[in-house]
Amino acid sequence: NGGLGRLAACFLDSAATCDIPLSGYGLRYKFGLFKQSFDGNGNQVEKADDWTKFGDPWSYRRYNHTVKIHFPDHTVLAVPYDVPIIGYETQNVGTLRLWQCEAEEELNFDAFNSQDYLRALDAKNKAEDITRVLYPNDSTWDGKRLRIKQQYVLSSASLQDMLRIYKIAHGDDLSRFGEFYAVQLNDTHPAMSIPELIRLLEQEGMRFDDAFKVAQKTFSYTNHTVMGEALEKWPLDLLRSVVPDIVDIICQIDAKLKSEHPNLFIVRDNVAHMAYLSVYVGSYVNGVAEIHSQILKDDLFKDWYQVYPERFQNKTNGITPRRWLGLCNPELTELIREHVGGDFLKNLDLISGMKDQITDETVARFNAIKRTKKEQLCSVIARHEGVMLNPDFLFDVQVKRLHLYKRQLMNALSIVDIYFRLKEGRLPDFHPTAFIFGAKSAPGYMDAKSVIRYINRVARMINSDPAVADKMRVVFVQNYNCSYAEHIIPAADVSEQISPAGTEASGTGNMKLMLNGAVTLGTLDGANVEIAQEAGKENEYIFGHTVEQINEGRSSYYARGIYDANADLRRAINTLVDGTVPTDDGLRNLFHSLLDWGQNSDQYRLLLDYDSYVEAKLRANRDYADRMAFGRKCLENVVSAAKFSSDRTIRQYAEEIWHIKPIAY
């Protein structure tokens, strides 16, 4: 789901296109994340996403490669479904193998004949529950046990599959497994693969120390976020209730680590830290943008970096230009092709050849293409949301997962602030703007759901006010996904990338928007830093405090002081509670979390960055009035985006981490 799922898709596309022998493993969920809609009060409503309801012609069931996964209370079958990953302009086809959980016995016939229908299907339901829903709510003990089962199935089934293939090619000497398989762990969700490989090797007769060496050579770990919820920490009693053998091996690994480096640990206070496990039992660790990789070394894994500096690398993320330009923006693709020749969708470096060809005529054509894409998006939004937008408006876009650190709330507060200023006649030169949001919140993330509700209520207030009808519109699209993104991203003028510095590992939406000719309104966070380096800061709208500035002021930060001193900001924040839009307990909690939680107030520094954010936002709005100058900034972004091809990223993984070379068909 979200950026990490889409990143994996881009990587598989790039690997197949670049002839790199890479396979993907995942779980085949019956229901995807969820289908999102909004009710009359602006609440997110979740419905099951039965994505295979009309069949799945791209998946091929390979029952003959089924493996068994053993839990203390039952055994399940992991049945593989293979999805072909077809390379662009090459004969190579990669594979994404997805595991679906099924019962060994579909029906307890005796129980059914005894008319105990629930017991008759108990084993079937228990097995299928594991891959029934992507990201089930895991706020309870049972929810956490289900999450652990999902992770263990992915880890064990995939490794059993690799060992099967290895034995066919190389026989039973498993000591050389790491010479032929490099396994990349994406975040800590598959970290159980490390003790599971050791368990499987021990099962084949290998000693622990030898199995440990094989695992260390086999695995590498990509950290995709500094957020605590993705750096999984599992209580050992919880883990032991699902995978007792895995806990024993984790404790063995922890004992080995502490004997070598007494100041490091994997297990502390009866809790397993899966990120530390991934750093220790692996060849390499990487972040996904230059600033993020530095934070890993300076902060998150500081103690580990001091012991293993040679393991740490950076691999700035990328996006496939086939989908995120060729497919979603054929008009811009054709313009670029006229100027650079060759197949730049296979070699995005060619796009930089257009840098010295940006004439007024080229900018005018680019602006005409942008307006076409905005007209197309207006039709889509009118059809899906019932909101009419004007393609002559500036399109200001924030589309990404809903999380407090991504600061959709700061965007919303600035829109309310601008609305009030327009009503007072204080922004006479404001260019009419459509503010477009797209985001899903995790079902159990109540603060994020409150932000969605607030934005929808603000949108209703603004869109129903005739006094600003010719100046601003706000729309929060429902069920934002890749298909919607392919309409929104080519139409965007301004790309909102506004997380506080040091929180977004990389981002990839920022790259997609850049490649399609939007300027970045952003902080010096994640890949925004490199986007500004590539395109030039003069072609972006950078604002806000740096990581260093935020860290220096952490102990003395006083959000309420900023609130008291800034009347416009204070008025905007008060709309959470003062009845300007309908309020509720969730909105009141957002208000108090910004101002009244002592040292924990305003965790993501909305108030700290607010003034510079609104200044940059209004500066972009004023600059948009000069259509040629603004269009040139947009086009400078397009032709500077070569670095952000996932082809470049995947080649770096292949050369510097996996140590493999392209293999032509």
Side-chain angles (χ1 to χ4, degrees):
N1 169 60
L4 186 54
R6 184 55 240 177
L7 179 72
C10 287
F11 281 173
L12 288 173
D13 171 274
S14 286
T17 297
C18 298
D19 300 330
I20 291 167
L22 174 69
S23 296
Y25 284 100
L27 296 179
R28 188 175 189 266
Y29 295 98
K30 177 169 176 56
F31 298 104
L33 182 63
F34 56 81
K35 283 189 175 177
Q36 179 200 55
S37 60
F38 302 135
D39 68 14
N41 291 318
N43 293 291
Q44 171 176 287
V45 177
E46 302 110 13
K47 290 185 179 176
D49 178 19
D50 188 0
W51 66 278
T52 60
K53 180 166 61 175
F54 300 111
D56 178 19
W58 286 104
S59 287
Y60 184 71
R61 180 178 168 97
R62 298 294 297 272
Y63 190 82
N64 57 318
H65 291 163
T66 295
V67 297
K68 290 185 178 182
I69 312 293
H70 302 286
F71 296 105
D73 54 340
H74 66 141
T75 296
V76 303
L77 303 179
V79 182
Y81 283 72
D82 286 352
V83 181
I85 310 297
I86 299 166
Y88 176 77
E89 295 296 324
T90 177
Q91 295 300 304
N92 277 340
V93 179
T95 301
L96 171 62
R97 174 158 281 194
L98 301 175
W99 300 103
Q100 177 173 293
C101 286
E102 299 178 8
E104 287 188 289
E105 186 179 43
E106 285 272 303
L107 182 71
N108 183 330
F109 206 69
D110 290 340
F112 194 87
N113 278 341
S114 301
Q115 299 167 67
D116 188 347
Y117 303 125
L118 286 177
R119 187 165 64 87
L121 292 172
D122 182 60
K124 174 181 170 68
N125 289 332
K126 202 169 182 180
E128 293 179 3
D129 279 348
I130 296 173
T131 50
R132 198 179 303 281
V133 177
L134 171 65
Y135 292 157
N137 191 340
D138 61 354
S139 57
T140 65
W141 175 273
D142 285 338
K144 288 179 172 62
R145 292 185 79 248
L146 178 58
R147 178 68 67 96
I148 291 167
K149 283 187 175 183
Q150 291 178 335
Q151 294 184 2
Y152 184 66
V153 166
L154 171 61
S155 300
S156 183
S158 303
L159 288 167
Q160 288 185 58
D161 197 50
M162 291 178 224
L163 287 167
R164 175 187 61 80
I165 298 168
Y166 174 89
K167 286 181 177 180
I168 293 170
H170 306 290
D172 293 334
D173 179 8
L174 296 172
S175 64
R176 300 184 66 200
F177 181 79
E179 296 175 32
F180 295 93
Y181 277 91
V183 176
Q184 195 71 30
L185 303 176
N186 281 285
D187 266 340
T188 55
H189 309 110
M192 251 179 275
S193 299
I194 292 168
E196 175 63 5
L197 178 58
I198 292 173
R199 186 190 73 81
L200 290 168
L201 293 174
E202 287 183 326
Q203 197 172 274
E204 296 278 346
M206 197 178 288
R207 292 169 52 251
F208 170 79
D209 287 340
D210 294 331
F212 178 91
K213 288 175 186 173
V214 172
Q216 200 163 49
K217 184 172 177 58
T218 299
F219 292 107
S220 290
Y221 164 51
T222 301
N223 174 275
H224 288 278
T225 176
V226 298
M227 293 292 123
E229 62 259 30
L231 300 167
E232 292 174 312
K233 303 176 185 71
W234 292 114
L236 291 188
D237 58 342
L238 174 65
L239 265 184
R240 200 178 289 280
S241 73
V242 184
V243 283
D245 293 346
I246 293 302
V247 174
D248 292 341
I249 294 171
I250 289 174
C251 290
Q252 274 185 281
I253 295 170
D254 181 62
K256 176 178 171 62
L257 169 65
K258 287 171 178 170
S259 71
E260 297 169 352
H261 304 287
N263 63 318
L264 297 177
F265 65 91
I266 292 166
V267 177
R268 177 174 281 182
D269 299 329
N270 223 35
V271 172
H273 294 248
M274 305 307 279
Y276 296 163
L277 174 67
S278 303
V279 175
Y280 180 47
V281 194
S283 297
Y284 301 101
V285 181
N286 71 280
V288 290
E290 288 171 5
I291 185 176
H292 171 234
S293 295
Q294 196 61 45
I295 288 169
L296 298 187
K297 294 188 283 190
D298 293 345
D299 185 9
L300 201 64
F301 300 134
K302 181 178 180 180
D303 294 341
W304 294 86
Y305 177 64
Q306 289 172 352
V307 176
Y308 301 113
E310 72 286 351
R311 293 187 183 180
F312 284 76
Q313 297 188 9
N314 174 59
K315 297 287 171 282
T316 298
N317 280 340
I319 58 171
T320 169
R322 271 76 64 183
R323 178 171 296 276
W324 297 112
L325 186 57
L327 183 68
C328 70
N329 202 338
E331 299 90 345
L332 181 56
T333 300
E334 185 55 37
L335 175 64
I336 297 168
R337 186 171 280 127
E338 287 177 23
H339 284 77
V340 303
D343 198 346
F344 72 93
L345 293 179
K346 192 173 177 73
N347 178 12
L348 199 60
D349 289 343
L350 294 174
I351 207 170
S352 59
M354 195 173 166
K355 284 185 178 181
D356 58 359
Q357 300 182 50
I358 300 179
T359 64
D360 285 353
E361 181 192 356
T362 312
V363 174
R365 286 187 63 192
F366 169 81
N367 284 343
I369 289 168
K370 182 67 75 172
R371 195 183 193 285
T372 297
K373 304 312 286 185
K374 289 161 90 166
E375 289 170 357
Q376 293 170 1
L377 177 61
C378 288
S379 297
V380 171
I381 287 178
R383 187 164 66 251
H384 288 283
E385 316 302 334
V387 176
M388 306 304 294
L389 298 182
N390 184 338
D392 291 323
F393 278 30
L394 183 159
F395 280 20
D396 179 303
V397 167
Q398 188 177 20
V399 285
K400 54 185 74 246
R401 187 167 51 94
L402 204 305
H403 196 294
L404 291 187
Y405 89 83
K406 295 178 186 283
R407 299 203 293 197
Q408 284 97 341
L409 180 58
M410 184 170 75
N411 189 353
L413 292 172
S414 77
I415 292 168
V416 171
D417 185 2
I418 289 168
Y419 169 71
F420 285 137
R421 294 194 208 185
L422 283 171
K423 297 268 283 185
E424 293 168 348
R426 290 167 53 197
L427 296 174
D429 299 324
F430 183 81
H431 191 92
T433 300
F435 298 98
I436 300 169
F437 292 87
K440 292 180 181 179
S441 163
Y445 192 174
M446 293 308 159
D447 282 344
K449 296 176 97 166
S450 295
V451 173
I452 291 176
R453 196 160 57 249
Y454 175 67
I455 294 171
N456 277 321
R457 291 173 183 179
V458 166
R460 185 176 300 170
M461 174 184 73
I462 290 173
N463 294 347
S464 62
D465 187 343
V468 295
D470 62 342
K471 287 293 184 185
M472 62 191 306
R473 299 283 276 175
V474 182
V475 60
F476 200 136
V477 303
Q478 299 173 92
N479 203 43
Y480 176 68
N481 55 18
C482 280
S483 298
Y484 226 140
E486 288 167 19
H487 292 291
I488 293 172
I489 287 170
D493 296 305
V494 173
S495 161
E496 298 253 3
Q497 309 297 331
I498 60 176
S499 51
T503 57
E504 186 74 84
S506 167
T508 50
N510 47 5
M511 302 171 187
K512 294 161 191 167
L513 286 151
M514 176 197 196
L515 183 58
N516 281 274
V519 297
T520 297
L521 170 60
T523 53
L524 289 172
D525 192 33
N528 297 352
V529 178
E530 293 160 73
I531 286 173
Q533 288 169 352
E534 294 297 307
K537 262 193 174 182
E538 68 277 9
N539 294 310
E540 317 297 354
Y541 294 85
I542 302 299
F543 70 92
H545 291 66
T546 64
V547 174
E548 294 75 20
Q549 290 168 335
I550 290 172
N551 288 337
E552 285 168 11
R554 199 170 294 282
S555 61
S556 60
Y557 183 60
Y558 182 49
R560 191 168 270 279
I562 300 173
Y563 169 85
D564 290 339
N566 186 328
D568 288 328
L569 173 58
R570 185 168 65 250
R571 178 170 59 176
I573 290 176
N574 286 347
T575 62
L576 289 164
V577 296
D578 67 7
T580 301
V581 298
T583 192
D584 53 47
D585 287 344
L587 270 55
R588 281 187 283 272
N589 188 64
L590 291 177
F591 177 88
H592 293 301
S593 72
L594 292 175
L595 301 171
D596 299 325
W597 287 4
Q599 284 289 91
N600 295 320
S601 295
D602 191 17
Q603 180 183 4
Y604 297 115
R605 300 302 189 255
L606 273 70
L607 283 77
L608 182 67
D609 281 347
Y610 184 81
D611 261 359
S612 63
Y613 170 55
V614 173
E615 186 279 326
K617 191 167 196 160
L618 292 175
R619 181 158 41 91
N621 184 279
R622 288 192 301 274
D623 289 353
Y624 184 82
D626 185 339
R627 298 300 304 114
M628 292 302 290
F630 193 88
R632 186 175 291 271
K633 287 186 185 222
C634 294
L635 206 42
E636 288 284 357
N637 273 273
V638 175
V639 300
S640 302
K643 175 180 180 176
F644 304 108
S645 169
S646 49
D647 296 352
R648 184 267 314 155
T649 314
I650 212 71
R651 286 190 179 108
Q652 288 183 333
Y653 275 104
E655 292 167 15
E656 297 165 19
I657 292 183
W658 306 328
H659 306 302
I660 58 174
K661 296 184 183 302
I663 299 172
Y665 176 75

